[in-house]
Amino acid sequence: MEKPKQDRLGRLLLENNLINEAQLEEALAEQQGSGKSLGRVFIDKGMLTEGQLTSVLAEQIGIRYVDLTSYAVDPEAANLVDANLARRYTVVPIEFQDGKLLVAMADPTNVFALDDLRIMTGMDILPVVSTRDDIKGAIDRYLHSAVDMDETLDEMPALEYEDEEEDEADLKEAGEDAPIVKYVNLLITEAVQEHASDIHIEPGEKDVRIRYRIDGVLHEIRRSPRKIHPGLVSRIKILASMNIAERRVPQDGRFNLEAGGQVVDLRVASLPTVHGEKIVLRILDRSAILIGLKDLGMEPAPLGTFSESFTKPYGTVVVTGPTGSGKTTTLYAALQELNRREVNVITVEDPVEYQMKGLNQVMVNTRVGLTFAATLRSILRCDPDIVMIGEVRDAESAKMAIESALTGHLVLCTLHTNDAPSAITRLTEMGIEPFLIASAVDSVVSQRLARRLCTRCRQEADYEQEYLDSVGFSQGDEGEVQLFKAKPGGCPYCNSTGFRGRIGLYEVFALDEEIEKLIVNVSTAHVLGQAAQEKGMKTLRQDGFVKVRQGLTSIEEVLRVVM
């Protein structure tokens, strides 16, 4: 058989030590059979990333390659180009250099794009090469909001309301005005692209503040003219089927919208303030890829304890933590392990944040009397094996959860407490007898979400031993390790925050015979916690410090989220 002929690209990749001879021969054979380009074969087979291939091709034609994920793009330069033109040619200006405009391009040989850029900006163009996906991401970040939103704001009519009897027709008309519709869509799309969990729209005396909660922290994105507030609120209320004329009492609603190429659910809450209604939109991506149990970030020992508790045929597993700490994600990671054809799994949630095949998922609707307690009474007559309760909010729900566990069901539920042992005292305060709690509860998981250090700009940190001792930090059995902290001002990759993504901190409180005796004797959460620590339980802070030693987060971040 004739050996496939090596081409120029293959030789370049070999010279740069990006592939070996065997990989090249495999790719050439694949190319002959599929008709794909050689570069595409390398990427599809996982031999190269798109960035590696693009950098080699850039070298081949003598043009510089730029990695936009770590490049400090100048917003003023980016704003020189119309967003539509940037998307059409897949280009984005990134910097002014020696009187020229540095432009990242997916195809720097496109003379039409170069001519149009020269005419639009009035500057000489200096092209550099970047990957198509990185350029699209830069366009969405730097041009989408900066250009489209400003243009939309200019098109908006002013509508001021001062009295409570404002004509509902005027409010509805404002909410359906084309610029307002476009602005709300852009706002939600931008928030989804920034991986925000919440959008806060806060009216002031002279303007409207827009903030996104990203990685658990609020960031002010922009301040918009006061004139947009009435139309903005009306538009969101129309989408969420809320009463647009009622501004004196809090309301809530929900709707879904296609944003950033995906359908997201949004939960809406309004709150009357002295300057008008504050609106908060919680972004719920129901189609999000659910993470597996091993991807939660639990250390092996607590993960084993947690897994053992929910693989029993009956009992209660409680997950605690504040709002937005990832409790639902943890429960669904467990449900993925439990979801089998031979079991009947029913969930009761408000709202249903994730949709999983094989589960019977019920969404609470208090408007028609479908509360957690009422739903629980019904589903227990539907022969469930496993019941997941989104949140135990009252004594009736708590009692039914405990009784369900005692009558042969596995119950997974959440509570709002500061740590794991406090869940026991919380159930006692709800009127559950201590001996029933001791018999029904297998384990309690308390968790927080800490921000993960940006791997591209994190800095080495040196702390005084006195400070480490004061916060209870020890280097651990492995001896002294290098610690890291967030870089002030961050980098473009982490949106100048020093952090990118989040990591879970966990405290797994398992009940054994000794702990059960303490519960029956109505011991305090402090006593229960001490007993559990003597048996090897790591507290939230201790688990956080494990992540610090691993270089995943900083001491300051752990102290921010854990008492």
Side-chain angles (χ1 to χ4, degrees):
M1 182 177 176
E2 186 180 350
K3 196 173 184 179
K5 184 181 178 181
Q6 295 184 6
D7 67 358
R8 188 177 177 188
L9 174 60
R11 292 197 304 274
L12 278 170
L13 294 172
L14 285 172
E15 290 169 6
N16 285 274
N17 296 317
L18 293 173
I19 61 170
N20 55 41
E21 291 280 359
Q23 289 175 317
L24 177 57
E25 289 183 15
E26 181 185 347
L28 286 168
E30 173 82 14
Q31 180 197 20
Q32 287 186 337
S34 65
K36 297 179 183 177
S37 68
L38 186 59
R40 177 48 55 189
V41 172
F42 282 124
I43 292 172
D44 290 346
K45 296 184 77 65
M47 297 177 182
L48 291 176
T49 65
E50 189 176 352
Q52 289 173 321
L53 179 64
T54 304
S55 65
V56 170
L57 293 174
E59 181 184 340
Q60 190 175 8
I61 60 176
I63 295 180
R64 176 182 158 204
Y65 169 74
V66 170
D67 181 1
L68 286 182
T69 59
S70 58
Y71 196 88
V73 175
D74 185 340
E76 290 187 14
N79 287 340
L80 288 178
V81 172
D82 177 74
N84 293 326
L85 182 139
R87 292 191 185 96
R88 183 165 72 248
Y89 290 130
T90 318
V91 299
V92 62
I94 58 174
E95 190 181 348
F96 299 105
Q97 196 172 95
D98 300 327
K100 297 181 180 180
L101 186 63
L102 197 68
V103 179
M105 307 179 68
D107 180 10
T109 63
N110 188 333
V111 293
F112 299 106
L114 292 169
D115 286 343
D116 284 354
L117 287 167
R118 193 177 295 111
I119 293 169
M120 176 174 284
T121 62
M123 300 181 69
D124 289 334
I125 305 301
L126 188 62
V128 294
V129 180
S130 189
T131 67
R132 191 171 296 274
D133 286 344
D134 286 350
I135 292 174
K136 287 180 178 178
I139 291 171
D140 288 337
R141 175 167 294 176
Y142 295 101
L143 277 73
H144 186 88
S145 58
V147 178
D148 292 0
M149 285 197 171
D150 288 345
E151 290 178 355
T152 305
L153 283 173
D154 293 338
E155 298 169 5
M156 288 185 186
L159 173 64
E160 297 291 343
Y161 50 70
E162 300 297 337
D163 58 59
E164 298 298 336
E165 302 301 325
E166 183 68 40
D167 186 1
E168 185 174 343
D170 290 342
L171 293 171
K172 188 173 182 181
E173 183 180 349
E176 293 177 345
D177 189 69
I180 284 285
V181 171
K182 182 179 178 183
Y183 188 83
V184 170
N185 290 344
L186 289 173
L187 202 64
I188 295 170
T189 300
E190 183 187 41
V192 170
Q193 290 168 346
E194 294 291 340
H195 304 291
S197 61
D198 301 86
I199 303 171
H200 289 245
I201 300 170
E202 302 165 323
E205 186 177 356
K206 296 180 180 179
D207 56 18
V208 178
R209 180 170 65 169
I210 309 293
R211 294 194 290 173
Y212 295 161
R213 187 175 295 279
I214 302 171
D215 291 337
V217 177
L218 281 170
H219 298 271
E220 183 173 322
I221 303 301
R222 65 178 55 81
R223 286 183 181 264
S224 299
R226 169 75 189 183
K227 69 175 185 178
I228 77 166
H229 184 254
L232 195 57
V233 171
S234 295
R235 176 60 186 166
I236 293 170
K237 282 186 169 183
I238 289 169
L239 289 170
S241 301
M242 297 158 68
N243 185 347
I244 62 174
E246 179 57 78
R247 300 190 299 276
R248 298 164 297 181
V249 296
Q251 297 184 62
D252 61 82
R254 57 172 56 89
F255 65 97
N256 58 63
L257 190 76
E258 186 173 343
Q262 57 184 319
V263 176
V264 294
D265 274 2
L266 294 110
R267 189 169 56 193
V268 184
S270 70
L271 182 70
T273 71
V274 292
H275 295 299
E277 285 181 287
K278 172 186 169 81
I279 300 289
V280 179
L281 296 94
R282 165 63 62 87
I283 300 171
L284 306 167
D285 182 8
R286 291 191 303 176
S287 62
I289 299 174
L290 301 173
I291 67 173
L293 201 60
K294 294 181 180 178
D295 300 321
L296 288 174
M298 282 191 193
E299 294 299 302
L303 178 60
T305 302
F306 177 50
S307 300
E308 183 181 349
S309 64
F310 70 72
T311 50
K312 294 178 180 178
Y314 54 86
T316 306
V317 177
V318 184
V319 181
T320 76
T323 301
S325 59
K327 300 187 296 295
T328 304
T329 302
T330 299
L331 287 178
Y332 269 91
L335 285 176
Q336 284 193 93
E337 300 286 321
L338 297 168
N339 188 17
R340 302 185 303 274
R341 289 185 179 182
E342 60 269 23
V343 295
N344 179 20
V345 183
I346 304 179
T347 75
V348 191
E349 304 167 73
D350 182 21
V352 174
E353 295 190 27
Y354 302 111
Q355 290 186 342
M356 184 186 292
K357 290 183 179 179
L359 303 189
N360 301 282
Q361 296 172 276
V362 181
M363 186 161 70
V364 168
N365 187 346
T366 54
R367 293 177 183 174
V368 297
L370 192 64
T371 62
F372 275 104
T375 308
L376 274 172
R377 282 194 297 270
S378 299
I379 66 175
L380 290 176
R381 294 192 289 269
C382 295
D383 188 31
D385 296 295
I386 301 167
V387 177
M388 194 268 269
I389 306 171
E391 185 181 339
V392 173
R393 297 180 176 178
D394 50 46
E396 189 176 2
S397 298
K399 183 179 179 182
M400 295 196 71
I402 295 297
E403 287 179 353
S404 299
L406 292 171
T407 53
H409 303 90
L410 176 63
V411 179
L412 310 178
C413 62
T414 70
L415 269 177
H416 287 290
T417 61
N418 290 327
D419 57 19
S422 297
I424 304 300
T425 55
R426 177 80 178 113
L427 289 170
T428 304
E429 289 166 1
M430 285 182 167
I432 310 299
E433 293 290 344
F435 71 90
L436 292 177
I437 298 172
S439 302
V441 177
D442 282 308
S443 70
V444 182
V445 178
S446 182
Q447 66 182 79
R448 299 289 188 278
L449 289 177
R451 290 179 295 171
R452 188 187 291 264
L453 285 170
C454 174
T455 55
R456 302 197 179 194
C457 69
R458 66 179 185 177
Q459 294 180 336
E460 293 184 359
D462 292 317
Y463 297 100
E464 297 291 337
Q465 189 60 47
E466 183 180 352
Y467 171 75
L468 297 178
D469 292 339
S470 69
V471 299
F473 181 87
S474 65
Q475 291 286 355
D477 298 334
E478 63 270 26
E480 189 168 338
V481 295
Q482 182 59 59
L483 306 180
F484 295 90
K485 63 181 180 181
K487 176 185 176 181
C491 68
Y493 182 67
C494 60
N495 285 333
S496 305
T497 62
F499 298 92
R500 186 175 174 90
R502 290 194 283 180
I503 187 168
L505 312 183
Y506 299 94
E507 177 179 287
V508 180
F509 174 62
L511 277 66
D512 60 12
E513 190 173 341
E514 183 181 335
I515 299 286
E516 287 174 1
K517 287 179 181 178
L518 291 173
I519 293 172
V520 171
N521 292 328
V522 199
S523 300
T524 64
H526 178 70
V527 172
L528 293 174
Q530 281 189 325
Q533 287 181 59
E534 290 172 4
K535 295 175 179 295
M537 181 189 82
K538 279 189 169 65
T539 65
L540 283 165
R541 180 178 290 197
Q542 289 169 341
D543 188 58
F545 287 161
V546 170
K547 270 76 174 183
V548 170
R549 287 191 287 273
Q550 294 170 350
L552 299 174
T553 190
S554 64
I555 290 178
E556 293 82 2
E557 178 63 11
V558 171
L559 298 178
R560 183 184 71 85
V561 299
V562 179
M563 291 188 302

